[in-house]
Structures are given as C-alpha cells and as structure tokens.
Amino acid sequence: MLVRLREAGCLIDERSGTVPVYHYHDLFRGHLEHFLRERDPALYVALNRKAAGLAEVRGDHGAAIAHLVSAGAHEEAGLLVRRVAESYLEK
C-alpha cells in the first residue's frame, strides 16, 4: 500500500536501506509539525523530547540534538553536544 501511495505522489518518500522505510515528504512533514506546534505546543515539546530520547538510545545524536532544539531544550542539547564531543576526543 505504501508503494502505491508513493507512486501516486501522495507526499510519501521512500528512504533506501536494507528494508524500505517510508517517511512523509519533507514539505508535508513540516506542515504537520507547524500545525501541531500551533495547536498544542505542550504536546509538540513532549513529542520532540520523546523523539530525542529514542534517537539518543539508537545512537543518532544529530537527530537527538535537533529534536531537543525543536523542543526548546537548548541547554540539554548543548550538554548532549558536549558529551558526544568528549566521547570522540577520548577515542
């Protein structure tokens, strides 16, 4: 079904990898983020914090930092940047 939606131009992109992964098109995703941020700012922050935690657990520090910044958690984002930088310097 996702393949048919993508082929029909329904704002879904396929990202290559070992298995196909589908994402909303960046423009549509941006629209949905803006809508949620305007409609329910607390939920927007909570979801970005949750996404940051999930990204950090899987080692995707860039995504974790981006979600923290989106949530307005700049100090936490800075601490994560520092932790990641220090871990690279220790290697």
Side-chain angles (χ1 to χ4, degrees):
M1 175 177 220
L2 290 172
V3 172
R4 288 197 327 242
L5 287 171
R6 182 184 52 80
E7 289 172 350
C10 292
L11 300 173
I12 295 177
D13 290 332
E14 179 181 350
R15 308 276 165 91
S16 60
T18 55
V19 294
V21 176
Y22 295 89
H23 296 267
Y24 288 121
H25 186 279
D26 288 341
L27 290 172
F28 187 53
R29 181 185 47 78
H31 171 73
L32 291 174
E33 284 183 24
H34 176 76
F35 179 79
L36 178 60
R37 188 172 47 246
E38 293 295 316
R39 185 173 184 127
D40 193 339
L43 180 59
Y44 178 80
V45 168
L47 290 174
N48 270 289
R49 286 183 170 279
K50 175 81 171 176
L54 294 171
E56 187 174 0
V57 166
R58 73 173 187 270
D60 189 350
H61 299 111
I65 292 163
H67 282 293
L68 287 170
V69 169
S70 291
H74 300 111
E75 186 172 333
E76 290 176 53
L79 291 172
L80 180 55
V81 168
R82 183 177 181 157
R83 267 196 336 266
V84 171
E86 287 173 347
S87 73
Y88 281 110
L89 293 174
E90 291 171 359
K91 293 180 183 182

